[in-house]
Amino acid sequence: MSQHILNHLSGVDRNLGGLIRAVGTYGLVIENNCHPYESLAQAITHQQLHAAAARSILARFVNTFGNGAFPTPEAVLAAPNEALRAVGLSFSKIAALKDLAAKTVAGVVPDREVLVGLEDAEIIARLTEVRGIGRWTVEMLLMFQLGRPDILPVDDFGVRAGFQFTYGLRKMPAPKALAAYGERWGPHRTAAAWYLWRACELKRAGTLPVPLEQIRLPRLPRLRRRRLASTVKVAKPKAATQVKAKPQAKAKSKQATNRPSSKKAKSTRARK
């Protein structure tokens, strides 16, 4: 990385500049010899597993269905689910791998040559169509496979924790707040993310520099609930009229009971 980029990051952010000086040389390694299909298949295999367990399952997967080479999409589509389950893959990962294989055959997941010519947003939109592939997975591919310089994975735990440590915050920033703050790092946000990962390592080693200045994260507009005043029912005076009418009704009923009936009145006059 050129010194110009490091000077830019240090110039727009004093705390990040202090972290850069503490870490030293930028060392993100680009692995550009891997097909996007293979990278995504490996990512699916590693999901929610310890690294050692994932490597073991991936090795059995390759040896069983690829004869030492990485299994082709056609081989994955032809493999029975029971055979894939036998190498240690869960049913959800089997479904994701088969969907990845089908979309690779259909061209939704292109080869590297095509992918290089696409914009970041288009790559994210296309690859997240695959079952089990989220934005974070595609961002890792953009950073470590394609070497895209302006990617900030705001949902990454390590990036958020590194930001918290570097800036002396009480808690990790929300992804949207981190995205808004990180706009100042563009167009070199990949480098900023790499240094924030290193901040976690310095924190564990006890060598993280003290923040040079206090910051305030951008305040994000909150969604306000619409007032439902128009839908609130107002009590009608009818109910009050009915309440007052009840005693009158009772009074009338009492008067009616006190009055003799017409038959009783006639019999009384007849006796007289």
Side-chain angles (χ1 to χ4, degrees):
M1 170 177 287
S2 68
Q3 189 62 39
H4 167 74
I5 295 175
L6 297 182
N7 291 340
H8 167 75
L9 294 175
S10 301
V12 298
D13 192 329
R14 292 184 62 199
N15 291 331
L16 185 60
L19 175 63
I20 290 173
R21 288 188 292 272
V23 173
T25 306
Y26 179 64
L28 188 143
V29 178
I30 306 300
E31 303 172 358
N32 55 10
N33 58 348
C34 194
H35 191 284
Y37 155 74
E38 183 176 341
S39 298
L40 296 176
Q42 292 178 3
I44 291 172
T45 305
H46 279 76
Q47 287 173 356
Q48 299 178 344
L49 285 178
H50 190 275
R55 286 194 296 268
S56 177
I57 292 174
L58 188 62
R60 291 196 297 269
F61 172 69
V62 171
N63 292 331
T64 303
F65 302 101
N67 295 324
F70 201 87
T72 63
E74 292 78 9
V76 173
L77 290 173
N81 289 352
E82 295 77 9
L84 291 167
R85 187 75 182 90
V87 303
L89 294 168
S90 65
F91 289 114
S92 61
K93 290 184 179 181
I94 292 171
L97 285 171
K98 292 215 168 190
D99 187 56
L100 170 63
K103 285 185 169 61
T104 301
V105 173
V108 176
V109 179
D111 57 25
R112 182 180 177 83
E113 288 71 20
V114 174
L115 209 61
V116 167
L118 301 179
E119 297 293 332
D120 296 342
E122 186 176 357
I123 294 174
I124 292 172
R126 289 182 65 163
L127 298 189
T128 51
E129 291 183 26
V130 178
R131 176 171 180 168
I133 297 298
R135 183 183 181 90
W136 178 86
T137 300
V138 183
E139 288 173 337
M140 295 301 103
L141 183 146
L142 289 170
M143 295 174 71
F144 293 99
Q145 300 289 332
L146 300 180
R148 296 297 171 94
D150 200 27
I151 303 298
L152 180 62
V154 296
D155 294 310
D156 186 272
F157 182 89
V159 170
R160 293 171 63 204
F163 188 91
Q164 176 190 357
F165 301 148
T166 301
Y167 295 81
L169 304 181
R170 289 181 297 176
K171 60 181 181 179
M172 290 191 296
K176 289 184 179 179
L178 178 56
Y181 185 90
E183 289 181 0
R184 69 195 64 196
W185 302 329
H188 309 296
R189 285 176 284 188
T190 296
W194 186 87
Y195 276 103
L196 291 176
W197 277 319
R198 306 288 78 75
C200 297
E201 300 171 358
L202 297 186
K203 177 69 174 180
R204 288 193 293 267
T207 58
L208 185 68
V210 177
L212 297 178
E213 63 180 357
Q214 294 182 345
I215 67 162
R216 287 186 178 181
L217 290 173
R219 290 186 176 182
L220 302 177
R222 295 182 179 180
L223 296 177
R224 296 181 179 179
R225 296 181 179 179
R226 294 180 180 178
R227 295 182 179 180
L228 303 179
S230 58
T231 61
V232 176
K233 294 182 179 180
V234 180
K236 297 180 180 179
K238 183 178 179 181
T241 304
Q242 290 177 347
V243 173
K244 292 181 179 180
K246 287 183 180 180
Q248 294 178 359
K250 289 182 179 180
K252 290 181 179 180
S253 63
K254 287 181 180 180
Q255 294 177 1
T257 53
N258 292 332
R259 291 176 183 175
S261 64
S262 59
K263 290 183 180 180
K264 287 183 179 180
K266 290 180 180 180
S267 62
T268 302
R269 287 195 297 266
R271 289 193 202 106
K272 291 180 179 179

